[in-house]
Amino acid sequence: MTTLESIVRDLRDLPAPKLVEVSNYIHQLHPSAESTERRRAALRATAGCMKGAAGEDFERAVRESADRVDADE
């Protein structure tokens, strides 16, 4: 039995909600040109939205807490 055949056999036993999860994961692994362009467009539309002091404050806050793990979460 090939790897693909084994995977397909396992998929047949999964409930529908799990199949949706698998499908989403597979599509993330192999993105289409359309989905890649949608992500790039979203990045272009939102890049640099926080300009000036607000952007600098946000960047500073992220840098200060990026390596910290909150015990409360």
Side-chain angles (χ1 to χ4, degrees):
M1 178 178 296
T2 68
T3 302
L4 183 57
E5 290 169 335
S6 173
I7 292 168
V8 170
R9 185 189 60 184
D10 292 342
L11 288 173
R12 286 192 178 110
D13 296 331
L14 289 178
K18 289 294 183 183
L19 286 173
V20 171
E21 288 181 43
V22 170
S23 174
N24 290 336
Y25 181 71
I26 290 171
H27 288 107
Q28 288 173 2
L29 292 174
H30 187 63
S32 68
E34 180 182 323
S35 64
T36 300
E37 183 50 38
R38 279 196 318 265
R39 282 193 299 276
R40 287 183 180 157
L43 285 172
R44 282 192 299 272
T46 59
C49 286
M50 296 179 75
K51 296 181 181 183
E56 291 167 6
D57 290 343
F58 179 76
E59 181 179 2
R60 187 172 24 266
V62 169
R63 289 185 188 277
E64 289 172 358
S65 64
D67 294 339
R68 191 182 79 221
V69 175
D70 275 341
D72 297 335
E73 292 185 10

